[in-house]
Amino acid sequence: MKIRFLGAVKGVTGSSHLIQANGKNIMLDCGMYQGKDEDLNTEEFEINPSEIDCLLLSHSHIDHSGRIPLLVKQGFKGDIYCSKPTYDLCEIMLIDSAHIQETEAQWKNNKAKRSGKKLVAPLYTQEDASESLQYFKPVLYDQIINIDENITVRFNDAGHILGSSIIEIWIKDEKDLKIVYSGDLGMQQKPLLKDPAAIRTADYIIMEATYGDRIHGNIEQRTEELISIILKTTKRGGSVIIPSFAVGRTQELIYELNKYYDSHLDKIKTKENELRKIPVYIDSPLAIRATEVFKRNAHAFDDEAKDYIMKGDNPLDFENLHFIQSAEESKQLNFSSEPKIIISASGMCEAGRIRHHLKHNLWRKEASIVFVGYQAEGTLGRRLLDGEKKVKLFGDEIMVNAEIYNVEGFSGHADKIALLNWIEGFKEKPGKIFIVHGEHEAKETFAKEVKNKFNIDCIAPEYNVVYDIKKKNIIKEEILDKSDEKAQKAEIEHIRELLNEVEGLKKAFENALKNTEGYLKGQVVDKEELAKINNNILSLENEIMNLTMISAK
């Protein structure tokens, strides 16, 4: 078996790795480069796309999925395996990415025509993106998927964004090997999402180290810190601008604000009551569509979010929340002097409506810019965090007079402690760990920590270098051997867990039917809502029938 690392080797974007075994080429992610490396997107793939048999996609973020339409455009015809929420998000994110490619190409060509330069084509079009979606094969978490008779995979919840996955790969080669690809790991106790799944065994791990050299601030205080910034800024007449990834971070912010409001309902004439008067605007069409995808995949939420739903509360909505669709509405936000909160994409300030909001607010001393996610080297977001006092936006030089904040508690990536804790969860430690998706200092620091704590050697792979994996480092993986005693015990335990799930579903099902019945009887329901309810009932009937068929004697 051989592994080639084709992206996210010298930074945190462009994730792509290739496993070659038993005559198969399996690609892990096919992400777009961003920031200082974005010119690499136009370079040819290191392997002919038509020679790739399948792609395993860890999650929908563009730095992991963004070049899939290009891969298909250039000849890839294999299956793309991912979780169902990841597919749902890619349906909107890849089309949106294509729209950005087309818009940027048009802007460049308008300039080229005036100067007599050669015209450029977009990296891919919306038609290309739509074409690529037909190759997706959504799967369930914990489902064993046979790629062929020698290669088996399983997707597990990574807790990074909705649908994000840790991927286990079993390969019957000269020696039986198990590779675990971490994808991007989330923090424990993230809003909305479950904690990253514990994986028990691996021969080798391909692991991210975005924050391998850093520890996030007090996570419990993140919302209090954000509220404090909002109140201080709006009190002096300024607006709070939050650059946020349209998928994941925006929904988590909505959820945290909603939860904060609900926990302070009884407070009158307090700072919490003042907060309720401040309008919150989600100014990103992609974020609005992504929020709808979140609502359709509530089964993937953590227990706390599910409890909110079961009580009849929509955790992704509250009274002073407004969704901005049109460009005209977006422009009007900057002509209004009222203090407000604007959450807009992109999260690293490289594209999207956020750049307009920064142009209109960076120069204002009363305004605040609040970063809540990772800022890659070379991006505008990173430059602002690094203290640049003057930036160029839409051809104009803008002074940076606003206060700049970085609230790390909202980060979607696990910090050093969480990464180490995840490795500690392995009952049988891997032989080696390939560290990717991190800047040099982060990977170097993390490798030393892993060696000191677990005595595991780490490799920071070089770009497009082939690593020939020959030696097996742990005993045969039990989960694929049904006759093994340990596997039988695990199976019995799994049955117990399923029975507990069934018991919990009984209550949830009764509650859902009761709430739906009350909703239909208690008010006039518009056609759109009625159609949604009808579709969900039909889907539920279908799944109940499938389950009954499986369990029928």
Side-chain angles (χ1 to χ4, degrees):
M1 185 191 75
K2 297 176 180 179
I3 307 178
R4 292 164 67 186
F5 296 88
L6 306 177
V9 172
K10 295 181 179 178
V12 298
T13 66
S15 285
S16 185
H17 318 297
L18 186 73
I19 294 177
Q20 299 172 296
N22 295 317
K24 296 282 188 183
N25 290 314
I26 304 169
M27 181 168 276
L28 307 177
D29 290 346
C30 188
M32 187 173 284
Y33 288 97
Q34 296 168 314
K36 64 181 179 62
D37 296 326
E38 66 180 12
D39 289 343
L40 295 174
N41 290 319
T42 58
E43 294 191 1
E44 289 186 4
F45 289 101
E46 296 291 351
I47 179 174
N48 187 331
S50 66
E51 296 175 4
I52 300 168
D53 294 284
C54 69
L55 191 154
L56 308 179
L57 179 60
S58 67
H59 65 288
S60 61
H61 273 158
I62 291 300
D63 63 316
H64 289 256
S65 71
R67 285 197 297 165
I68 289 176
L70 184 63
L71 194 75
V72 172
K73 182 181 179 180
Q74 295 185 3
F76 173 79
K77 302 298 178 187
D79 292 326
I80 301 171
Y81 295 94
C82 65
S83 70
K84 180 186 175 297
T86 292
Y87 169 69
D88 290 346
L89 288 169
C90 280
E91 277 192 302
I92 60 173
M93 294 180 72
L94 294 181
I95 300 296
D96 182 78
S97 175
H99 174 67
I100 292 172
Q101 306 305 316
E102 292 171 336
T103 302
E104 288 185 350
Q106 184 179 10
W107 180 76
K108 289 175 182 177
N109 287 337
N110 288 340
K111 291 184 68 176
K113 288 175 184 176
R114 292 192 292 269
S115 58
K117 293 181 179 179
K118 186 178 178 181
L119 301 183
V120 299
L123 196 63
Y124 52 83
T125 65
Q126 294 183 62
E127 186 178 345
D128 295 327
S130 295
E131 171 73 12
S132 71
L133 291 169
Q134 70 174 296
Y135 296 97
F136 279 71
K137 291 190 72 171
V139 302
L140 302 174
Y141 284 144
D142 300 322
Q143 185 179 6
I144 295 291
I145 308 296
N146 295 314
I147 304 299
D148 64 15
E149 64 275 11
N150 294 311
I151 301 170
T152 303
V153 302
R154 178 167 61 186
F155 287 70
N156 307 268
D157 199 332
H160 171 60
I161 65 166
L162 184 73
S164 60
S165 299
I166 302 161
I167 306 173
E168 297 174 277
I169 309 161
W170 291 271
I171 297 172
K172 294 179 183 178
D173 204 344
E174 295 174 4
K175 294 186 178 287
D176 291 340
L177 288 168
K178 181 183 177 186
I179 308 295
V180 171
Y181 177 43
S182 74
D184 286 358
L185 294 169
M187 285 292 290
Q188 300 276 335
Q189 300 178 346
K190 265 175 66 69
L192 283 172
L193 303 179
K194 296 175 183 176
D195 291 343
I199 309 298
R200 298 310 181 193
T201 61
D203 291 309
Y204 295 91
I205 300 175
I206 302 171
M207 184 173 182
E208 70 119 324
T210 310
Y211 284 115
D213 60 344
R214 294 168 72 177
I215 298 172
H216 296 326
N218 191 329
I219 293 175
E220 288 74 20
Q221 298 300 317
R222 62 191 168 198
T223 306
E224 290 287 351
E225 183 180 357
L226 179 61
I227 297 302
S228 176
I229 294 167
I230 291 170
L231 291 171
K232 184 169 71 171
T233 305
T234 54
K235 188 174 182 179
R236 63 175 181 249
S239 290
V240 178
I241 311 300
I242 306 178
S244 179
F245 296 106
V247 178
R249 204 64 38 77
T250 294
Q251 291 74 32
E252 290 161 19
L253 286 168
I254 293 171
Y255 177 76
E256 284 289 277
L257 288 170
N258 180 44
K259 190 169 75 168
Y260 189 87
Y261 291 161
D262 281 357
S263 65
H264 296 85
L265 283 173
D266 58 339
K267 307 237 177 140
I268 306 297
K269 295 183 179 179
T270 62
K271 65 178 184 179
E272 290 80 13
N273 196 47
E274 289 300 310
L275 186 68
R276 286 179 170 278
K277 300 175 184 177
I278 304 167
V280 180
Y281 296 97
I282 306 299
D283 187 19
S284 165
L286 178 60
I288 295 168
R289 294 195 296 274
T291 302
E292 290 303 312
V293 172
F294 269 68
K295 291 175 182 178
R296 294 202 307 269
N297 286 277
H299 61 274
F301 292 175
D302 64 9
D303 290 339
E304 181 186 66
K306 286 179 180 177
D307 284 344
Y308 270 92
I309 295 169
M310 297 310 290
K311 292 173 184 173
D313 184 11
N314 182 348
L316 293 174
D317 199 7
F318 49 86
E319 61 181 330
N320 55 331
L321 180 66
H322 309 277
F323 292 94
I324 301 299
Q325 288 280 6
S326 72
E328 187 57 38
E329 287 178 300
S330 176
K331 291 175 185 176
Q332 290 303 315
L333 292 178
N334 290 313
F335 294 116
S336 164
S337 60
E338 70 166 347
K340 64 185 77 67
I341 302 164
I342 300 175
I343 301 172
S344 186
S346 70
M348 297 185 192
C349 309
E350 287 296 281
R353 294 178 179 179
I354 188 63
R355 293 173 69 85
H356 291 276
H357 297 306
L358 289 174
K359 179 179 179 179
H360 287 274
N361 286 276
L362 274 173
W363 58 273
R364 299 179 184 272
K365 292 182 179 179
E366 66 273 20
S368 292
I369 315 300
V370 183
F371 290 97
V372 290
Y374 187 83
Q375 303 300 309
E377 190 177 348
T379 61
L380 175 58
R382 179 67 162 266
R383 284 157 45 210
L384 289 171
L385 280 180
D386 287 344
E388 281 198 18
K389 295 300 180 187
K390 189 182 293 184
V391 297
K392 184 168 281 191
L393 285 162
F394 304 104
D396 295 334
E397 282 198 339
I398 309 295
M399 294 299 298
V400 180
N401 296 322
E403 291 191 9
I404 309 294
Y405 295 93
N406 187 24
V407 182
E408 286 191 356
F410 284 101
S411 174
H413 286 273
D415 64 5
K416 181 175 72 175
I417 293 174
L419 292 171
L420 291 171
N421 287 342
W422 185 72
I423 295 174
E424 195 164 25
F426 283 78
K427 289 184 178 178
E428 296 172 10
K429 298 297 184 287
K432 285 184 172 60
I433 298 176
F434 292 98
I435 300 180
V436 296
H437 203 287
E439 292 174 12
H440 176 74
E441 296 79 7
K443 291 189 290 187
E444 189 176 58
T445 298
F446 187 63
K448 290 177 182 176
E449 292 277 356
V450 171
K451 180 66 175 177
N452 291 338
K453 186 166 185 176
F454 305 112
N455 196 30
I456 299 173
D457 290 325
C458 295
I459 299 169
E462 297 178 47
Y463 177 77
N464 203 29
V465 171
V466 176
Y467 292 83
D468 198 350
I469 310 298
K470 291 184 179 297
K471 186 178 179 182
K472 181 178 174 226
N473 292 297
I474 62 171
I475 63 170
K476 189 174 182 181
E477 172 58 32
E478 303 92 353
I479 195 162
L480 298 181
D481 186 353
K482 296 295 184 183
S483 63
D484 188 276
E485 184 181 351
K486 289 184 178 178
Q488 290 175 356
K489 289 180 180 177
E491 199 169 297
I492 292 169
E493 182 59 32
H494 191 203
I495 290 170
R496 287 200 194 101
E497 290 174 359
L498 285 175
L499 288 171
N500 288 334
E501 286 283 335
V502 169
E503 197 59 37
L505 276 174
K506 284 182 187 176
K507 297 175 183 176
F509 189 62
E510 289 172 4
N511 201 352
L513 290 178
K514 183 179 178 181
N515 287 347
T516 303
E517 187 179 12
Y519 180 68
L520 291 172
K521 288 180 178 179
Q523 60 185 45
V524 177
V525 184
D526 64 41
K527 289 184 179 180
E528 187 177 344
E529 288 296 320
L530 201 59
K532 287 181 181 178
I533 292 170
N534 180 65
N535 289 345
N536 280 318
I537 289 174
L538 290 173
S539 176
L540 190 59
E541 285 175 345
N542 185 53
E543 292 302 324
I544 289 172
M545 186 60 67
N546 289 340
L547 187 60
T548 305
M549 287 292 289
I550 292 169
S551 56
K553 293 184 179 180

